[in-house]
Every structure is written in C-alpha cells, then in structure tokens.
Amino acid sequence: RDAPPLRHAVRAALAIGSAYALSLALPWGTHDYWILLTIVVVLRGSLAQTLERRNSRVAGTLLGCVLAGAVLAAHLSAPLLLLVLTLAQAIAHGFAVKRYLVTAVAATVLGLVQAHMLGAGHSLTFDMLERIADTLIGVGIAWAFSYVLPSWERTQIPALVRRTLSAQSRHARVALALGQLRAGDNEPELEWRLARREVHDALSALVQATQRSLSEPRAVRAPLKPLAHLLAHSYQILAQLTTIKTMLLLRRERLRPEQIQAPLQQATTSIETLLTLDQPVPDHAAPPGPGSAGPMALPDPFDNDLGPWVLRRLDLATGIAARLRDDAREVLEH
C-alpha cells in the first residue's frame, strides 16, 4: 500500500473517475474527453512533475489556440489543412518526452483543426473556449488529486542515500585496489570507470529528488542542509579517490609498493566500514583528529617519490568518509 506505483494508480483512478462524472454534467460536452486526456497527461507520480506538466499544458493550450486560429483564419485548402494535421501530430508525438510545452501546442492545433474539418457544428471561437475551459478544469482536477495519497520525495531519499553510500564504498574499493600497480592492461581502469559512473548516477538521482522536493509543502520537504553537506562531501571524496587512482595508474613508477600497500588496504577497510551505516565503527576505522599526528612533511611533487602525497590523500579521504557517514545519519533521522 505504500508503493508509489500503487498509490499513483489509485490517485489517477479517482481523478479520472471524478472528471468523467463532471464531464457528463457539463452543459457543452462536445469534446468531454479533453478533460480526461488533460488529467492523464498532467497527473504525474510526484508533485513537482505534476506542477511542471500543469504549467506546460495551460501555456501550450493558449499558444495552440492562437496558432490554430491563425491557421484557420488563412482559409487554407483541404490538402494544406491535412498537411498541417500531419505536421501537428508528428510534432506532438516527437516532443512528448523531450519538451511537453511543444507537444501541448501541437496537440491543441491538431484538436482544433480536426474539429473544424469534421464540421462539428460549432464555431471556431466556441471550440477554442471549450478547449481552454476543459484544459483548465482538467489541470485543476489533476492538481487537486496530486495531494491524494501523495508519494513525497522524502520517502525516496533514504533509499537514494544508501545507494549513494554503497556506490561510494564500491568506488573506494576499486580505486584503492593494488592490482593496478601490477596490471599490464586497462582492465582495472575499465572497472574503475564503471564504479565511478555508478557514483555519478546515484548522486544525480539524489540531486533530482532533492530538487523535486522543493515544490512540495514545507512540512514534508526533505532536509536540505544535511543533504547539501552529503552531496558536497560525496563529490570531495570522489575527487580525492580519483586523484589517488590517477597516481596509482599513471604514476606507478614513482611509487614504492612496500610503502603504500598497507595504508591502501587500511584506508579501503576504513572507508568501507564508515560508509556501511549498519555496522559499528571500530577505533581503527575512525580517522585521527586534526593535528594528532603533527604536520606531515611533503616533498616536492616533482621529485621521484609520490608516496607521501598518496598517504596524505588517503587520510583526507578517510576523514571525508567519516563526515559523509554523519551527514547520511542526519538525513535518515529526519
């Protein structure tokens, strides 16, 4: 009963049923299916998507009425009107997913020109007013029923946060693997690119859900501040691990495996433990406090040995992982 697809199905059924009963009671009713069609295309799974479709449908209908009026006022011949219908239908289907505003304009032109050619017995002005009225009624019903059994974005946030942490953990394991120091081909790099792509996909889904939640009522809105911190730390740890991976892959001749092998394994274990929320964090996985080890003497990066720079970035990545864990817990507690 809490599944978003089921809740949307019930919501849409109630909206369409109510609109159908209303369309039977309207005094005009020449194209009563226009109300139902408007609800079908406007009512989406989230409030933000519904509002976006609502605005596009209303603006597209008004622009389409103006364009259809201009086309019919030109008194084109029947073959030219058929050409207009063909173009309008092609544009309406072609932009349905890409940009719905264009689809709404083309669909309005298509409907009004069709009604004119079929000779429904009404004037063009009446058809335009009916189209606008049915559109406003449809978007109003769709907007009202979007608050019935709603699926707020904050209910999807916990799963997206866990997906992000899981992707970050896998990326850390791949980026800090020792096999790339001895690999003779690009197989480790391909696995790393796939893991990095999964992190970007998870972060993109989380950003989109956060953006959609801004259109929802403030009382049910997702916690923005911890989400912003989580996103910032996610990109920071991604940058640190990417830099380490680049050093291991492209500058392996300037690294001593015996110097960095143990720190790489320890950092991998610590980051994976920190990014697994269900596991307690042992003492060895927690990063040291600031200044506990004293200032680290870093050599010139243009010298032969890059080991100290790798160790420094490993410490930074582990510390960011700890802050990322705290951010995720704060988001899940809201």
Side-chain angles (χ1 to χ4, degrees):
R1 63 185 179 183
D2 293 331
L6 177 61
R7 298 171 73 88
H8 179 65
V10 175
R11 185 188 314 125
L14 293 175
I16 294 174
S18 303
Y20 179 69
L22 177 62
S23 65
L24 296 179
L26 290 176
W28 50 88
T30 307
H31 305 93
D32 46 6
Y33 62 91
W34 280 349
I35 300 178
L36 307 181
L37 182 60
T38 299
I39 294 175
V40 169
V41 299
V42 169
L43 187 58
R44 302 286 92 185
S46 68
L47 178 61
Q49 294 172 336
T50 299
L51 296 179
E52 182 181 1
R53 281 294 183 93
R54 178 201 65 183
N55 298 337
S56 298
R57 184 72 177 185
V58 173
T61 299
L62 296 177
L63 293 175
C65 288
V66 174
L67 185 57
V71 170
L72 296 178
H75 301 291
L76 300 177
S77 61
L80 290 179
L81 287 179
L82 288 176
L83 179 61
V84 171
L85 288 179
T86 303
L87 292 176
Q89 186 161 8
I91 294 174
H93 286 281
F95 286 86
V97 177
K98 186 67 176 178
R99 190 171 183 183
Y100 185 72
L101 176 61
V102 178
T103 295
V105 173
T108 301
V109 174
L110 178 65
L112 293 177
V113 175
Q114 277 182 332
H116 173 76
M117 295 188 69
L118 290 174
H122 296 284
S123 65
L124 175 62
T125 303
F126 179 85
D127 289 337
M128 287 184 177
L129 293 177
E130 182 184 7
R131 180 78 177 192
I132 295 174
D134 289 346
T135 297
L136 294 177
I137 293 173
V139 298
I141 294 176
W143 184 18
F145 275 88
S146 63
Y147 292 91
V148 177
L149 297 176
S151 298
W152 304 123
E153 291 297 334
R154 68 181 306 164
T155 62
Q156 314 298 324
I157 294 294
L160 295 176
V161 169
R162 293 183 181 277
R163 176 190 172 188
T164 300
L165 294 185
S166 177
Q168 291 278 18
S169 177
R170 179 175 180 271
H171 177 258
R173 183 171 64 254
V174 174
L176 303 181
L178 295 174
Q180 56 214 330
L181 293 176
R182 301 180 295 270
D185 53 21
N186 293 329
E187 183 177 355
E189 183 182 5
L190 177 60
E191 185 181 4
W192 165 65
R193 288 182 180 275
L194 293 176
R196 190 167 179 263
R197 175 60 182 269
E198 172 59 25
V199 174
H200 282 291
D201 290 343
L203 290 175
S204 177
L206 185 58
V207 169
Q208 292 176 13
T210 304
Q211 181 68 28
R212 290 194 298 267
S213 71
L214 297 178
S215 301
E216 298 176 349
R218 187 178 299 273
V220 297
R221 192 175 298 173
L224 298 181
K225 185 175 180 180
L227 278 172
H229 291 165
L230 186 145
L231 292 171
H233 291 144
S234 292
Y235 283 110
Q236 289 175 9
I237 191 174
L238 188 64
Q240 294 292 345
L241 294 176
T242 299
T243 304
I244 296 172
K245 173 68 177 182
T246 303
M247 291 181 179
L248 298 178
L249 195 64
L250 302 180
R251 298 291 184 265
R252 66 181 75 177
E253 72 280 356
R254 299 175 58 184
L255 296 171
R256 291 181 294 174
E258 67 277 3
Q259 178 188 13
I260 63 174
Q261 181 173 354
L264 281 174
Q265 294 177 339
Q266 181 180 357
T268 301
T269 303
S270 299
I271 292 175
E272 287 187 316
T273 303
L274 288 168
L275 298 183
T276 305
L277 297 178
D278 299 332
Q279 294 184 2
V281 180
D283 294 336
H284 66 81
S292 59
M296 180 182 297
L298 296 174
D300 190 335
F302 295 99
D303 290 342
N304 290 329
D305 188 14
L306 287 179
W309 291 94
V310 173
L311 297 180
R312 176 178 180 271
R313 290 191 178 274
L314 287 175
D315 291 339
L316 292 175
T318 305
I320 296 173
R323 292 192 288 272
L324 188 59
R325 177 189 178 95
D326 295 338
D327 298 334
R329 286 189 175 278
E330 187 175 356
V331 171
L332 297 178
E333 288 174 358
H334 277 73

